[in-house]
Amino acid sequence: SYVLTQHPSVSVAPGQTATITCGGERIGTKNVHWYQQKPRQAPVLVVYDDSERPLGIPERFSGSNSGNTATLTISRVEAGDEADFYCQVWDSSNDPHVIFGGGTKLTVL
Amino acid sequence: QVQLVESGGALVKPGGSLRLSCAASGFTFSDYYMAWVRQAPGKGLEWVSYISSSGSRYYVDAVRGRFTISRDNAKNSLYLELDSLRAEDTATYYCATVGGYNFDSWGQGTLVTVSS
């Protein structure tokens, strides 16, 4: 089955840029979605279809996808951005149809 | 405003059964695919099942044959029947709306604990 690989942790100082990657075979041919999950809260969709932002998500969150790597970029990181981030793809020709990456813990120093 | 409220989580013995519910409001429920996603304690997200607006059902292999997803459009409700429960089914179960092949709204989750 298809596998999405994320680094377990990323650390960044406030005001800097955080880069969170999601690796998968030819992931650039798929639509990638990103979720932010703060402690003891439900996940929130922050980027969909590689680079689109849902209403209410700050412009500081952006995404890209090419080749074997999708990337979530958070500019001007704030303390409140600290959370777990998950990538996700949907492919009905695969089993399972929906795959999540293992998650990346973003720590704001 | 979309609201999803799960209920039904409990402590259950291995081999037992449970029914989870998700009450939906703030959108036209019958138009949406709906899904269940779970998260074991301290672990990542795992898709469990989804149901199309017309009632087609899909499951992850780990629960196929043991869990059953269903919906009642008249009651704006989504359900998940959990049978033959195992310790590895212990998790918080989230109800979610399915947007364009993503999960665009989530409930707060309901905890299922399988233990003797």
Side-chain angles (χ1 to χ4, degrees), chain A residues 33 35 37 42 88 90 95 97, chain B residues 39 50 58 64 101 103 107:
Chain A
H33 318 290
Y35 302 86
Q37 186 180 31
Q88 175 250 314
W90 190 307
D95 187 11
H97 292 185
Chain B
Q39 185 172 37
Y50 71 87
Y58 304 89
R64 193 174 293 129
Y101 301 108
F103 305 107

Side-chain angles (χ1 to χ4, degrees), chain B residues 55-114:
Chain B
S56 298
R57 309 171 192 198
Y58 304 89
Y59 302 92
V60 69
D61 190 54
V63 310
R64 193 174 293 129
R66 300 188 299 119
F67 291 8
T68 303
I69 191 172
S70 62
R71 65 191 298 161
D72 185 335
N73 290 337
K75 294 183 177 180
N76 289 343
S77 292
L78 177 72
Y79 306 101
L80 187 68
E81 297 273 0
L82 292 69
D83 294 316
S84 303
L85 281 162
R86 306 166 180 168
E88 54 264 35
D89 296 319
T90 294
T92 295
Y93 286 73
Y94 294 101
C95 161
T97 57
V98 178
Y101 301 108
N102 57 65
F103 305 107
D104 50 4
S105 295
W106 299 65
Q108 86 289 349
T110 188
L111 178 62
V112 173
T113 303
V114 184

Side-chain angles (χ1 to χ4, degrees), chain B residues 8-48:
Chain B
L11 171 63
V12 61
K13 289 181 168 54
S17 299
L18 210 54
R19 188 195 201 204
L20 307 183
S21 299
C22 172
S25 60
F27 64 104
T28 306
F29 180 76
S30 58
D31 287 347
Y32 275 73
Y33 284 37
M34 296 294 298
W36 290 96
V37 177
R38 69 183 178 182
Q39 185 172 37
K43 302 297 185 182
L45 301 173
E46 179 185 34
W47 165 69
V48 174

